[in-house]
Amino acid sequence: MSSAASSNLTIAIVGATGYLGPSVAKAFLNLHPETFSRVVILTRNPKSDSAKALEVLGADLLQVNGPIHAGALKGVDVLVNVLGTGVPVEESDALFKEAAASGVKVYFPSEYGIDHRDGPQNHIWFYEKERHSTAARNEAPSQLKVIKLYIGMFTEIVFAPFFGLDNENGVYTSLGAGASDKKVSITSTADVGAAVARLSILAVADSKSVPDQVRISGDNKSFKELAEVVGQATGKTIKVVEEPAEETNDKDGEDLPALARLLRLNFAHGSVDFSKENDNELVNPGQKYWTWKTTEVYARDVLAKQ
């Protein structure tokens, strides 16, 4: 496809007013204005502060109440699904079906987490994500590229007791012997948004240039390394401890504590370490388009000021 065909693109984003959504929307609106001529935010509440903030930046707001209606994606080139994990997967199923019927060229399912193809994954959210994306890929018409993006952990939420990183009490606790030495891939929301925008450009220009499943990693650190980074930035001494761990067999677990424990087990398993196998150079060769945000920068700019 010519470069002319990969410009003046229309992007539709569902879930743009949630946690990750604003960063994704801003990437399309700010980083490549010459390529994305229209960014459409599908939202239940176009009068919300978060929706209005995106409108000020140049986004078009389209109110969608309940299941997406026929024709809502007409003329859309790329559909980005950033619906939260608490949203019924049936909504994503309906989105994909409308995308397929409307001639959408690229679809991003709501993934943006650990690569749950490897390691412990006994949580209903992982099963639902996999079922949806597999069905989408199997049912996609020839012109529709489905891209799953794995990012590891979000920089902005990983530093929390929930995941064993307790800055307030100065203790980082990993699950399993030797787990504190296992690296974890950590990516900022801004970098995720930038990556989605770049992958959209690449996939519209040549769908074969982008793999079906993409892994990016803004930074890679073990618990021990994170303790050093945060300690240097805050002047605190961070103690690193390891607790024994048993894998859960609760395949129907839905609560957040069960998910947090499962993620920590994946840390220990090494399945959240994308340091050796990632697509950073495809998305951002030589950091040509932006500089990946490191944990050192986040610790200096955010954690040190808390």
Side-chain angles (χ1 to χ4, degrees):
M1 183 176 292
S2 68
S3 59
S6 58
S7 61
N8 297 319
L9 302 178
T10 295
I11 313 301
I13 306 174
V14 184
T17 60
Y19 175 72
L20 174 62
S23 294
V24 173
K26 290 174 184 177
F28 282 104
L29 289 164
N30 297 332
L31 297 183
H32 304 281
E34 75 288 350
T35 301
F36 306 114
S37 60
R38 187 174 183 227
V39 177
V40 182
I41 306 301
L42 280 65
T43 177
R44 287 185 174 86
N45 184 10
K47 295 183 180 180
S48 69
D49 291 343
S50 50
K52 286 294 185 182
L54 294 175
E55 185 178 37
V56 169
L57 293 177
D60 294 335
L61 305 183
L62 177 62
Q63 186 168 9
V64 177
N65 294 317
I68 189 169
H69 58 270
L73 300 177
K74 183 178 180 180
V76 169
D77 297 292
V78 179
L79 173 61
V80 182
N81 181 352
V82 281
L83 290 172
T85 50
V87 177
V89 71
E90 289 76 14
E91 290 197 25
S92 291
D93 293 340
L95 278 171
F96 169 75
K97 290 179 180 179
E98 182 58 28
S102 300
V104 171
K105 301 180 181 69
V106 180
Y107 172 59
F108 290 87
S110 185
E111 191 61 59
Y112 322 110
I114 71 169
D115 186 345
H116 48 79
R117 296 173 296 174
D118 185 24
Q121 56 177 308
N122 296 330
H123 196 283
I124 191 169
W125 288 350
F126 291 155
Y127 290 104
E128 288 183 340
K129 284 174 177 283
E130 189 61 33
R131 183 201 61 74
H132 169 71
S133 60
T134 299
R137 186 165 290 112
N138 290 339
E139 298 170 13
S142 58
Q143 91 285 349
L144 178 51
K145 176 76 174 185
V146 178
I147 303 173
K148 292 178 69 174
L149 178 60
Y150 302 108
I151 61 90
M153 297 295 295
F154 290 119
T155 308
E156 295 84 354
I157 65 172
V158 73
F159 290 97
F162 205 57
F163 300 112
L165 301 176
D166 187 347
N167 290 316
E168 182 176 356
N169 293 304
V171 180
Y172 285 4
T173 306
S174 58
L175 297 180
S180 61
D181 290 311
K182 296 291 181 68
K183 291 184 181 294
V184 176
S185 287
I186 303 170
T187 309
S188 73
T189 55
D191 287 349
V192 175
V196 173
R198 279 297 306 159
L199 287 167
S200 297
I201 294 173
L202 294 170
V204 170
D206 179 6
S207 63
K208 294 181 180 179
S209 70
V210 178
D212 293 340
Q213 309 197 62
V214 176
R215 307 206 309 181
I216 61 172
S217 180
D219 200 357
N220 297 275
K221 292 285 194 304
S222 68
F223 272 38
K224 287 182 178 178
E225 290 170 332
L226 289 174
E228 291 183 10
V229 167
V230 175
Q232 290 176 1
T234 63
K236 297 179 180 178
T237 299
I238 308 293
K239 181 181 179 181
V240 179
V241 299
E242 296 178 349
E243 291 183 351
E246 294 182 3
E247 294 190 10
T248 176
N249 291 316
D250 180 14
K251 294 186 178 181
D252 296 319
E254 297 184 16
D255 62 321
L256 289 174
L259 177 61
R261 178 175 175 79
L262 183 58
L263 290 171
R264 294 173 69 187
L265 289 172
N266 274 272
F267 297 169
H269 185 269
S271 52
V272 194
D273 177 8
F274 303 166
S275 59
K276 296 180 180 179
E277 295 184 16
N278 63 64
D279 298 288
N280 284 14
E281 284 303 297
L282 168 69
V283 175
N284 187 22
Q287 301 191 72
K288 174 181 178 180
Y289 298 103
W290 75 91
T291 300
W292 298 99
K293 188 171 187 176
T294 64
T295 50
E296 285 87 353
V297 169
Y298 183 76
R300 180 197 68 201
D301 293 347
V302 179
L303 298 180
K305 298 176 182 179
Q306 293 179 343

